[in-house]
Amino acid sequence: METIKIMHTNDLHSHFENFPKIKRYIDDSRKNNESDEFLLFDIGDAMDRAHPLSEATNGQANIEWMDQLGYNAATIGNNEGLGNSRHNLQHLYDKANFPIVVGNLYDNETQSLANFVKPYTIIETKKHTKIGILGFTAPYILTYPLLGWGIRLVQEMMPKWINELKKNKCDVIILLSHLGVSMDRLIAKKRPDIDVIIGAHTHHLFKNGEMDNGVLLAAAGKYGYYVGTINLTLDDNGHIVNKEAITQKTSDLPEVDGDQLWIDTQFEKGEHLLDEKKVANIPHEMSQNYQANNAVIEEGLNAIMDYTHADAGVLSSGLFLECLHKGIVTEKDMHDILPHAIHAMKTTMRGADVWRLIMEMEKNRPYLRNHEQKGQGFRGKIFGEIVYRGITLDEKRNVYINGEELEMDKEYSLALLDHYLFVPYFPSIEIVGQNEILYPKFLRSVFGDYLSKKYPL
């Protein structure tokens, strides 16, 4: 008989406040392990640029922390894959002491797998059991190509890599899946030759695992609120005879002296690094109040209009989390007011479609004003008020672009955000918009570049 203990993290999203407890729990579990083998995996979205240290170090601080834990392998999430420029992602794992397993991320230039990933890795235990580790990340087919990546569909790539593992005579197959719970369940129904799927992306939690078609599904929620453990028992022929999954709630783990100091230090270190990078010299405060004379959202509209060269623009007030103070503005200030993983987008559509889009915005305006928005790159609290630039309406619902009545068959360009494409409130953007998402800069960088040009140091 052989016993294997597997621990896993997922969707940590740079929640450094949970890292000390997680590290201690994993270290203690490894030290006190009574199984024949101990393995550790991360299932992606370990980093999130909403934390100043991740922003300031391009995620290197996250990898340094992971290196201390002795991961055996990790896959990437969309925060690593799309939250970094092509160059930063290629070098994110340069110093990692564990392999990055992603079987569906390709380089569009070479048509080969990205040079920092492996399609799988094989771990041989002390008793010579071969464990094949696959990894896949969510295939954002609209956005990965904007960074020069070719993202392949899982159903296209999975048979290829599973066959490779079988050719290598793997006894156990484990999938690190940053694909979401629905896809994990679908894979389990179609691929019972996979023994364990460790899931992520949709932040789902299986406190005691889930068995689907003989495949064990495990997942540990989000933000490091839980750490997962999987226990496998194999017979002398390398066949699994028992498998179970459990989770440990991080908040129930003991806190020790020094934890809070370490957490505060990571935050302060990131803020200090960002504060060293000056952006502009602002002559007056810009108010968070969208109705103020010097509203920061109006300058934000100036920025995206300048960046996209569009006919008109739209932003929502909930994007701007703070006022922008008078005087020297740094990257810390930009990160404080716009921590989101959101990009500017130029959308072109016919006048009739612009009219319908504006009607969608007007219909949803009362709801969105105080709506608690989550996800799709947003890192604030509420969606807020919709604010137009170059768009007006009259009491008869006629729409005007820069003072001229909309021509139904004429094409217009709008400065928007990719966030508005991904949320469900404005379907016309996805249905009829010719959408050009402007990677790799986040909105804060677009805004900062505009301020540095308008208010130079």
Side-chain angles (χ1 to χ4, degrees):
M1 301 289 282
E2 180 180 18
T3 54
I4 301 170
K5 181 185 288 292
I6 300 167
M7 298 191 73
H8 56 96
T9 56
N10 64 274
D11 296 288
L12 294 174
H13 283 274
S14 293
H15 277 257
F16 282 80
E17 69 273 15
N18 291 320
F19 285 12
K21 287 184 176 181
I22 291 171
K23 182 179 185 304
R24 199 159 46 246
Y25 177 61
I26 291 173
D27 286 346
D28 289 347
S29 297
R30 189 192 302 272
K31 180 180 177 181
N32 299 319
N33 177 49
E34 295 181 353
S35 299
D36 296 307
E37 210 73 33
F38 182 97
L39 303 175
L40 176 63
F41 303 116
D42 183 79
I43 323 299
D45 277 359
M47 68 165 286
D48 191 317
R49 287 179 176 270
H51 194 285
L53 188 57
S54 297
E55 171 77 350
T57 65
N58 292 318
Q60 292 297 328
N62 300 71
I63 306 307
E64 288 176 13
W65 178 80
M66 293 176 73
D67 278 344
Q68 298 173 39
L69 271 71
Y71 281 88
N72 293 91
T75 194
I76 69 167
N78 43 290
N79 269 269
E80 288 92 4
L82 298 171
N84 289 292
S85 69
R86 178 183 171 87
H87 177 269
N88 285 339
L89 180 58
Q90 283 179 313
H91 296 285
L92 177 61
Y93 301 102
D94 282 355
K95 297 179 181 179
N97 56 19
F98 50 90
I100 307 304
V101 183
V102 191
N104 63 329
L105 185 69
Y106 278 70
D107 188 318
N108 274 343
E109 291 181 5
T110 64
Q111 294 300 306
S112 300
L113 274 170
N115 60 10
F116 65 94
V117 307
K118 301 171 66 172
Y120 58 83
T121 188
I122 298 174
I123 298 170
E124 187 168 349
T125 70
K126 300 179 190 72
K127 294 190 175 182
H128 305 294
T129 297
K130 283 188 173 182
I131 304 174
I133 310 299
L134 291 171
F136 290 102
T137 196
Y140 283 81
I141 57 175
L142 291 178
T143 45
Y144 270 109
L146 301 176
L147 291 163
W149 302 120
I151 192 75
R152 306 284 175 88
L153 297 179
V154 177
Q155 54 266 41
E156 175 189 355
M157 302 311 301
M158 183 172 288
K160 173 183 175 71
W161 302 131
I162 287 182
N163 287 340
E164 289 281 324
L165 293 179
K166 289 181 177 179
K167 285 180 185 177
N168 282 283
K169 298 183 179 180
C170 288
D171 303 290
V172 177
I173 296 177
I174 296 173
L175 170 61
L176 313 183
S177 167
H178 198 90
L179 301 172
V181 62
S182 297
M183 182 59 76
D184 290 352
R185 286 170 171 155
L186 180 62
I187 291 170
K189 286 178 173 59
K190 293 191 172 185
R191 301 298 313 219
D193 46 354
I194 297 174
D195 296 290
V196 179
I197 299 175
I198 313 178
H201 186 47
T202 44
H203 297 178
H204 53 291
L205 171 67
F206 292 144
K207 286 189 175 181
N208 296 293
E210 177 178 291
M211 196 69 74
D212 285 3
N213 195 29
V215 180
L216 177 63
L217 274 60
K222 63 179 181 179
Y223 304 162
Y225 292 161
Y226 289 83
V227 179
T229 300
I230 298 161
N231 293 307
L232 305 179
T233 303
L234 291 75
D235 63 21
D236 292 335
N237 296 314
H239 300 136
I240 295 176
V241 294
N242 188 58
K243 48 188 173 182
E244 62 176 15
I246 57 174
T247 52
Q248 169 63 52
K249 192 173 184 179
T250 307
S251 61
D252 289 344
L253 296 171
E255 183 176 339
V256 302
D257 290 344
D259 280 1
Q260 192 59 50
L261 176 61
W262 184 89
I263 294 164
D264 293 342
T265 299
Q266 309 316 301
F267 192 87
E268 291 163 5
K269 188 188 302 181
E271 292 214 314
H272 175 72
L273 289 170
L274 292 175
D275 212 27
E276 289 181 328
K277 301 174 183 177
K278 297 177 182 179
V279 173
N281 191 357
I282 309 297
H284 51 74
E285 182 184 79
M286 296 178 189
S287 175
Q288 188 184 10
N289 180 359
Y290 73 95
Q291 295 176 313
N293 290 331
N294 291 316
V296 68
I297 193 172
E298 294 296 340
E299 203 71 279
L301 281 161
N302 289 340
I304 64 167
M305 293 292 290
D306 179 74
Y307 190 57
T308 61
H309 305 289
D311 299 316
V314 181
L315 285 178
S316 43
S317 63
L319 289 162
F320 297 88
L321 305 191
E322 296 181 7
C323 298
L324 195 58
H325 62 77
K326 176 182 176 179
I328 300 296
V329 171
T330 68
E331 287 190 8
K332 173 188 175 299
D333 298 307
M334 305 311 300
H335 188 264
D336 285 346
I337 67 169
L338 290 167
H340 323 288
I342 289 174
H343 304 83
M345 180 177 74
K346 187 175 184 177
T347 294
T348 304
M349 54 175 63
R350 292 171 52 251
D353 298 319
V354 173
W355 182 87
R356 184 171 61 188
L357 172 60
I358 299 305
M359 292 305 107
E360 290 167 357
M361 290 183 171
E362 291 302 309
K363 176 184 182 296
N364 287 308
R365 180 186 292 276
Y367 170 75
L368 293 174
R369 186 173 290 136
N370 297 301
H371 172 62
E372 293 185 3
Q373 177 62 38
K374 295 180 180 179
Q376 288 80 41
F378 187 71
R379 301 292 186 260
K381 294 182 179 179
I382 62 168
F383 189 92
E385 196 70 42
I386 296 170
V387 179
Y388 299 135
R389 171 62 57 81
I391 300 170
T392 52
L393 294 84
D394 65 20
E395 66 279 358
K396 295 181 180 179
R397 300 204 302 175
N398 295 312
V399 174
Y400 299 82
I401 301 293
N402 297 318
E404 296 185 2
E405 189 168 355
L406 202 64
E407 296 180 36
M408 294 301 165
D409 290 324
K410 180 180 176 181
E411 278 199 340
Y412 296 88
S413 59
L414 304 176
L416 303 173
L417 302 176
D418 61 352
H419 180 64
Y420 303 152
L421 170 64
F422 301 139
V423 295
Y425 318 125
F426 316 122
S428 289
I429 297 174
E430 181 177 4
I431 295 169
V432 295
Q434 300 172 47
N435 303 308
E436 182 186 359
I437 304 174
L438 301 174
Y439 269 69
K441 292 182 180 179
F442 284 141
L443 178 60
R444 58 179 167 272
S445 295
V446 172
F447 192 24
D449 289 349
Y450 176 79
L451 293 176
S452 66
K453 183 169 59 175
K454 185 172 180 179
Y455 305 108
L457 293 163

